[in-house]
Amino acid sequence: MEKAFERVLDLLGKPNNDGLFAQFIEYLGEKPEILLQTDRVTEYDFGRSGLHLSYQSNSLRDSSLEGSVFAFAIFSLRPDSKVLTSRRSYVGNLPYGIKRGDSRDEVAIKLGIPADLTGDDILYEFSDYKFSFSFFGDPLNLASLFVSH
């Protein structure tokens, strides 16, 4: 899972019709569980990989847009013992030198001034992506990373 994060970024903002998602599934070696499937949303869960992908109609974000794209990904970063038994922690690479178990302060040092602080969450915006880091515990340690396009 050395380049899993980059592969997820490659999916975000794109439709599921060019074989990229099939290649991603093959790369992970895990067939996703479909948690929800409607005419506007499909939620894919890769529990063994600690990853969740949301495929959504563009009209959910902007009523003038057509089609559907992979809208966001959630990387579960809490230790396995702290999460649901069916979900493992994501062990692939992360951006900008971020590591599982980093404290809130360590993330802020690595990434600089955030775009927004909300409770225990830190939001950063990089080019076409938004990164929201969530923390837990005392001291606050990285629990999850939400990435949207």
Side-chain angles (χ1 to χ4, degrees):
M1 301 235 316
E2 186 177 309
K3 296 288 185 182
F5 188 82
E6 288 80 2
R7 287 178 176 250
V8 170
L9 290 186
D10 287 345
L11 285 171
L12 294 180
K14 295 190 177 110
N16 184 10
N17 61 4
D18 64 0
L20 199 57
F21 188 51
Q23 291 172 12
F24 180 73
I25 291 171
E26 185 177 328
Y27 171 77
L28 284 182
E30 176 182 1
K31 184 178 178 187
E33 177 183 354
I34 297 176
L35 300 178
L36 173 69
Q37 189 166 28
T38 70
D39 60 334
R40 300 177 77 189
V41 176
T42 303
E43 300 292 336
Y44 297 100
D45 190 64
F46 297 88
R48 288 184 298 144
S49 300
L51 180 62
H52 180 93
L53 290 171
S54 183
Y55 189 72
Q56 299 181 355
S57 168
N58 280 321
S59 65
L60 291 173
R61 294 185 288 173
D62 183 339
S63 60
S64 67
L65 296 176
E66 294 183 12
S68 295
V69 297
F70 286 99
F72 66 81
I74 301 172
F75 299 83
S76 296
L77 301 169
R78 291 179 72 170
D80 291 344
S81 62
K82 303 285 187 195
V83 295
L84 300 173
T85 55
S86 62
R87 170 172 294 286
R88 292 188 180 156
S89 184
Y90 172 77
V91 295
N93 66 315
L94 293 168
Y96 305 106
I98 301 299
K99 295 180 182 156
R100 266 182 33 169
D102 274 358
S103 70
R104 188 172 189 227
D105 291 340
E106 288 170 320
V107 170
I109 288 168
K110 291 175 182 180
L111 298 179
I113 298 172
D116 190 21
L117 295 169
T118 306
D120 293 334
D121 295 348
I122 303 176
L123 175 70
Y124 290 89
E125 295 185 23
F126 299 104
S127 60
D128 294 334
Y129 303 98
K130 291 182 182 177
F131 294 69
S132 180
F133 296 88
S134 295
F135 300 84
F136 76 99
D138 184 20
L140 293 172
N141 290 310
L142 193 53
S144 65
L145 169 57
F146 177 96
V147 181
S148 62
H149 185 269

